Amino acid sequence: MKLTVPMMLLGVLGWPAAVLAQTTTTTTTPIEHVIVLVGENRTFDNMFGAYQPKRGQTIANLLSKGIIKADGSPGPRYADAAQKTAENFGAYTPTPKTVGTYPTLPQPYALGAFGQRQDIPDARFPKTMPNGPFQITKHTGYGAHTGDPIHRFYQMWQQTNGGKNDLFVWVAETTGLGPSNPWLPLGPGKPTFQGGVAMGFYNMSTGDAPYFKHLADTYAIADNYHQPIMGGTTVNYLALATGDVSFFTADGKPAMPAAKLIENPDAQPGTNNWYTEDGYRGGTYIRCDDMALPGVAGIRNHLKALPYKAFNDGNCAPETYYMVNNMDPAYSPAGDLLPVAPDKFLLPPQTIPHIGDGLTAAGVSWKWYSGGRNDGVKTDKEYCAMCDTPTFFTSTMTGPDRHKLHDLQQFYVDVKDAKTFPAVSYIAPYDSISGHPGYAMETSFDALAQDVITRVKANPALWKNTVVLVTFDEGGGYYDSGYVQAIDFFGDGTRIPLIAVSPFSKRGHVDHTYYSHASILKFIERNWKMLPLSSRSRDNLPNPVSDPRNPYVPLNQPALGDLMNLFDFKRAARTEK
């Protein structure tokens, strides 16, 4: 289907007028409303590692693989998840040489956790635990603030270690949060305040996360859905909206950021994997087209060694500095352009197309709801600016689409009227109920998901043709045992949960198709007959062709599904309330 784009957007989107012929709001499925609800920082195994699916379904998780038993204790194949030690002196590599195995798991820390000491090991956990996954709630109870695992770009590449998934603890213990952070005395030879926190999981078999278990039993989940970019919140929220990565700009064009903002993951002299520059107040940008620059050759050589060709040869445009770690937008919620400077840690205005641009071009209604947006940056730990993704973009913040960005409170008003509710909407929670380790709890996002879904169901005219896609921005650095497909220089990353809640969802189904955030874009585009967002966005990738004997690894890599396998559109919608 060809689309009509308002003339004011042609320059922004870069779509030639010849391919833009008509506008459509007709859907190809019975789904007329897509709501994307995004929690924070949970891998699939962290949430669903002990989930037991309905009879007739199979799943890939800690329990099914024999890594744990249903009671959370070590299983017969516990050693498959054992964490290794490694060496990486000098130039960075995403696959360091492993040299040993941890005899026991280092005691977790509670870094970032409300109400807990940050600078000593978390006394709620034993000083020594078996080397592998552990059930968090055996030590803290259900509903507690716990530590925040490291989850930055170069660290995540090393954590997954080329698919072995055996360096989560070693990476956390050797690089920590990065050397440019003023709030902890970090440096070579000093503690990273991590320990084995990354190996924690919740146990649905013993009563944890009961609402998410109910959703999985009742609707459809994916056990092969991934965060698209190695790293944290900003890059993965941006990929959720663009299928791409952002970059440093000046006057809307690629430019070079200040030297202190450029990543350098090469080990400092005399250290084992202590990065030269990678801090929340330091390295953020990478230029991945130049093999001579720090950190680049290791990943590019890893991609070249794959048995298939990476997407767009790595997706590294010339002389472009891509943002791979967290920054806030240069626009305020009100649309004011804030000063961009090396000490401000703001991403300059972005011009790549995002899903809002595509929906507007197609004449499809949309809104982005963000908790605390009305209060802006004044509310401590409530408004997540980096989660308010359209705020990063010139097309939105300088045009009429700015009025499609709302506080979460507006969702509670809009959901009551099916006739005016947007076709596509995204919900970014208040920080305190996002489920993020440290300052939020897993239980808080459970409660938000239940509240949102209950409100949608309370409006039968809306519920009858809606899907609520519940997912997480990224895995937060938690361990996961699943396969990871290398697509380009930037990822994929670890598995994260996805639940499709709809009258048309397959009942109690576990879908093994390989998906990522770009799969949500593909679903929206297929449903409303839209084009991919750009030539380099991952919504261009084909749907996977799979071998039934191993459905988790596409035969036609790189490939991403479009979520259609989660639904059964041939039968009438269910009418449960």
Side-chain angles (χ1 to χ4, degrees):
M1 174 64 69
K2 297 181 179 180
L3 309 174
T4 295
V5 178
M7 292 303 295
M8 62 174 290
L9 288 178
L10 288 176
V12 173
L13 297 178
W15 290 339
V19 302
L20 307 169
Q22 67 182 37
T23 298
T24 181
T25 56
T26 303
T27 60
T28 60
T29 77
I31 299 295
E32 297 178 8
H33 300 278
V34 173
I35 302 171
V36 184
L37 174 60
V38 188
E40 292 203 48
N41 295 48
R42 304 288 174 183
T43 60
F44 185 78
D45 274 337
N46 174 257
M47 287 289 294
F48 284 91
Y51 174 65
Q52 301 181 58
K54 291 291 189 179
R55 186 174 181 178
Q57 296 295 306
T58 61
I59 196 168
N61 63 5
L62 300 175
L63 182 58
S64 71
K65 294 176 182 180
I67 295 172
I68 63 168
K69 298 178 182 177
D71 65 0
S73 63
R77 300 194 64 89
Y78 193 68
D80 289 356
Q83 295 297 288
K84 305 293 182 61
T85 60
E87 292 180 348
N88 189 46
F89 299 99
Y92 170 87
T93 173
T95 53
K97 177 185 177 183
T98 55
V99 295
T101 302
Y102 281 96
T104 58
L105 201 64
Q107 189 173 11
Y109 280 75
L111 186 65
F114 282 1
Q116 304 296 325
R117 281 282 298 272
Q118 312 287 297
D119 58 342
I120 60 173
D122 189 341
R124 295 173 296 178
F125 297 95
K127 291 184 177 180
T128 59
M129 292 189 290
N131 177 8
F134 63 89
Q135 183 176 331
I136 295 170
T137 51
K138 281 188 175 181
H139 309 285
T140 65
Y142 187 53
H145 292 281
T146 55
D148 187 6
I150 181 66
H151 51 281
R152 290 170 68 78
F153 178 80
Y154 282 114
Q155 284 95 333
M156 274 197 167
W157 269 110
Q158 289 184 325
Q159 286 170 339
T160 55
N161 192 22
K164 297 177 182 178
N165 299 326
D166 58 2
L167 293 180
F168 281 80
V169 174
W170 176 78
V171 171
E173 290 280 272
T174 56
T175 63
L177 292 176
S180 295
N181 301 290
W183 57 88
L184 287 172
L186 296 178
K190 296 183 179 180
T192 61
F193 305 98
Q194 290 281 304
V197 67
M199 302 305 292
F201 68 91
Y202 293 93
N203 190 340
M204 290 183 178
S205 291
T206 60
D208 295 346
Y211 186 66
F212 274 93
K213 180 182 184 300
H214 162 73
L215 292 179
D217 289 343
T218 309
Y219 300 102
I221 68 169
D223 68 344
N224 202 12
Y225 184 96
H226 296 253
Q227 66 175 77
I229 311 296
M230 296 288 191
T233 291
T234 305
V235 289
N236 283 289
Y237 256 101
L238 281 161
L240 177 68
T242 67
D244 202 350
V245 285
S246 58
F247 50 87
F248 187 83
T249 63
D251 298 324
K253 298 179 180 179
M256 183 177 179
K260 68 171 292 187
L261 298 179
I262 298 175
E263 292 272 359
N264 183 349
D266 289 350
Q268 295 183 30
T271 71
N272 181 12
N273 210 47
W274 190 271
Y275 295 173
T276 300
E277 182 53 73
D278 178 69
Y280 285 91
R281 291 295 178 259
T284 295
Y285 295 99
I286 58 173
R287 178 183 160 188
C288 58
D289 67 311
D290 189 342
M291 293 281 282
L293 296 178
V296 174
I299 296 176
R300 294 292 294 267
N301 287 335
H302 176 67
L303 295 177
K304 289 180 180 178
L306 295 172
Y308 56 89
K309 187 176 180 180
F311 179 52
N312 282 347
D313 194 30
N315 241 359
C316 296
E319 299 184 11
T320 301
Y321 286 84
Y322 294 98
M323 187 204 68
V324 293
N325 286 311
N326 289 348
M327 299 193 96
D328 283 342
Y331 288 104
S332 74
D336 300 318
L337 186 58
L338 306 173
V340 176
D343 62 341
K344 301 298 183 182
F345 305 101
L346 302 176
L347 179 67
Q350 294 296 294
T351 58
I352 60 176
H354 67 86
I355 188 61
D357 297 325
L359 291 166
T360 296
V364 179
S365 61
W366 66 276
K367 286 186 179 181
W368 195 287
Y369 302 99
S370 292
R373 188 173 210 278
N374 288 350
D375 299 316
V377 296
K378 296 180 181 179
T379 303
D380 182 39
K381 286 298 177 188
E382 286 301 331
Y383 174 59
C384 175
M386 64 184 70
C387 311
D388 195 5
T389 308
T391 308
F392 284 94
F393 294 90
T394 299
S395 60
T396 301
M397 299 308 290
T398 62
D401 279 355
R402 182 162 63 87
H403 300 291
K404 297 176 181 177
L405 311 187
H406 297 273
D407 193 282
L408 178 56
Q409 295 299 315
Q410 186 60 42
F411 167 79
Y412 300 134
V413 176
D414 292 348
V415 74
K416 297 177 182 178
D417 190 343
K419 293 181 180 179
T420 59
F421 193 78
V424 175
S425 56
Y426 291 76
I427 298 175
Y430 295 97
D431 265 352
S432 63
I433 57 172
S434 65
H436 193 294
Y439 55 78
M441 299 180 293
E442 183 276 329
T443 51
S444 64
F445 186 65
D446 277 30
L448 176 63
Q450 184 169 9
D451 180 59
V452 167
I453 292 167
T454 299
R455 290 173 186 266
V456 173
K457 286 186 174 182
N459 185 343
L462 178 64
W463 167 244
K464 69 179 182 179
N465 52 24
T466 292
V467 60
V468 182
L469 297 172
V470 185
T471 187
F472 291 75
D473 59 344
E474 35 95 2
Y478 279 111
Y479 172 79
D480 188 81
S481 64
Y483 170 75
V484 176
Q485 177 183 209
I487 290 180
D488 57 27
F489 188 88
F490 307 99
D492 274 351
T494 51
R495 293 185 305 171
I496 55 178
L498 177 86
I499 311 174
V501 182
S502 172
F504 296 98
S505 300
K506 295 178 180 177
R507 286 182 179 273
H509 178 68
V510 182
D511 185 7
H512 310 318
T513 307
Y514 196 104
Y515 297 126
S516 83
H517 283 343
S519 298
I520 295 179
L521 298 177
K522 291 186 68 172
F523 180 85
I524 292 170
E525 290 160 356
R526 180 172 173 182
N527 197 48
W528 279 277
K529 304 186 182 84
M530 294 165 53
L531 299 170
L533 292 175
S534 75
S535 61
R536 54 171 287 126
S537 55
R538 292 191 191 169
D539 47 352
N540 286 279
L541 289 170
N543 283 345
V545 176
S546 299
D547 185 335
R549 294 170 295 181
N550 184 11
Y552 295 92
V553 181
L555 299 175
N556 57 332
Q557 296 181 95
L560 294 172
D562 58 13
L563 304 186
M564 291 293 176
N565 290 340
L566 292 161
F567 303 95
D568 181 0
F569 296 122
K570 294 181 180 179
R571 61 173 171 77
R574 299 204 301 276
T575 58
E576 85 277 359
K577 300 264 177 99

